[in-house]
Amino acid sequence: MIIFVYACDLKGAIGKDGDLPWKQSTDLQHFKRVTLGGTIVMGRKTWESLPGKLPGRRSIVMSRSQRDDVEVMSYDEVRLLSQEQDVYIIGGGEIYRLFIEDVKELHRTIIQTEVEGADTFAPDIHELGFHLIGERIVEAGDKDQYNMVFQHFIR
């Protein structure tokens, strides 16, 4: 199954200047809980923004060229893999748009802010048949900039 995992601001922004536009330790812990033990799929820019392979997860990058530092797959290969196991799409914007028709489950964190100058956005999921099955409001902790809302959708 294809599963999206992302954090966005109140207007759907997920990135600015090639990075996350906030510091949210609580959301990173949530991301880890959701994806640990799974296969994460991302675009080249998302891969390059990470400090390296995330422990406890298989990392796959969708790229037009082969890489020595990580496994590379095409759209069709990822779709085939998703028939055998859960695949977590973790960004960026182009990769979310590519899989929008295939996604069956979605974990979204809404960061309670509006990012000035954001350049990457999550797909609009309204009118795509998603149903909210869980929501939790979380106040900012010591290592968070903003309050957040964890949401879980299925379709």
Side-chain angles (χ1 to χ4, degrees), residues 24-31 33 138 141 144 148 150:
Q24 295 290 120
S25 179
T26 303
D27 181 55
L28 293 176
Q29 292 167 16
H30 173 72
F31 172 84
R33 278 191 302 276
V138 179
D144 300 317
M148 64 210 93
F150 296 138

Side-chain angles (χ1 to χ4, degrees), residues 108-121:
R108 175 172 75 178
T109 302
I110 299 177
I111 308 297
Q112 302 296 296
T113 189
E114 291 183 19
V115 175
E116 292 272 332
D119 54 25
T120 309
F121 293 85

Side-chain angles (χ1 to χ4, degrees), residues 33-99:
R33 278 191 302 276
V34 169
T35 62
L36 198 60
T39 298
I40 55 175
V41 173
M42 69 208 84
R44 177 191 54 81
K45 292 176 190 173
T46 299
W47 169 252
E48 290 174 353
S49 75
L50 297 176
K53 286 187 179 179
L54 299 178
R57 286 154 279 205
R58 176 183 178 191
S59 296
I60 296 172
V61 172
M62 295 185 66
S63 176
R64 291 178 185 90
S65 58
Q66 279 303 116
R67 303 183 61 95
D68 294 329
D69 55 346
V70 69
E71 185 177 1
V72 174
M73 282 191 179
S74 68
Y75 169 77
D76 289 333
E77 290 170 322
V78 171
R79 284 191 69 222
L80 188 60
L81 180 64
S82 75
Q83 294 173 9
E84 302 167 7
Q85 62 182 270
D86 289 345
V87 173
Y88 298 91
I89 307 295
I90 66 165
E94 291 178 39
I95 305 302
Y96 290 124
R97 283 188 293 281
L98 187 62
F99 286 99

